[in-house]
Amino acid sequence: MCLHTIILDKSDPKRIYIAISAAGAFRTDDGGKTWKPINKGLYSQYIPEPTAEVGHCVHHVANEPRAPQTSLHAKNIGT
């Protein structure tokens, strides 16, 4: 696994977004004490459960500036 992206939320110093290959994208709202997956809606045909919440190969995650609660994912295969 490789940590590909770290994004610090400018409006909330305790909120961090990360993207990890073979795991997916995750978010913390407590400075890293706990993490939750943010992969709902992704589909990866080459993992055992293509719509699983964890297991996607996300190489980059970015937030939509006009809608901060929206994240954009770039996967190894597809988006």
Side-chain angles (χ1 to χ4, degrees), residues 6-48:
I6 302 172
I7 298 174
L8 305 176
D9 189 320
K10 294 177 185 176
S11 66
D12 183 349
K14 291 187 176 187
R15 183 174 298 141
I16 304 167
Y17 298 87
I18 61 172
I20 302 172
S21 62
F26 299 85
R27 171 182 158 175
T28 181
D29 292 318
D30 58 16
K33 292 178 186 171
T34 60
W35 293 87
K36 66 179 181 179
I38 54 169
N39 303 295
K40 187 174 183 177
L42 293 185
Y43 182 87
S44 297
Q45 68 186 31
Y46 299 110
I47 63 175

Side-chain angles (χ1 to χ4, degrees), residues 42-45 50 56-60 73-79:
L42 293 185
Y43 182 87
S44 297
Q45 68 186 31
H56 301 275
C57 195
V58 178
H59 283 227
H60 186 75
H73 297 63
K75 298 185 330 175
N76 186 20
I77 299 173
T79 54

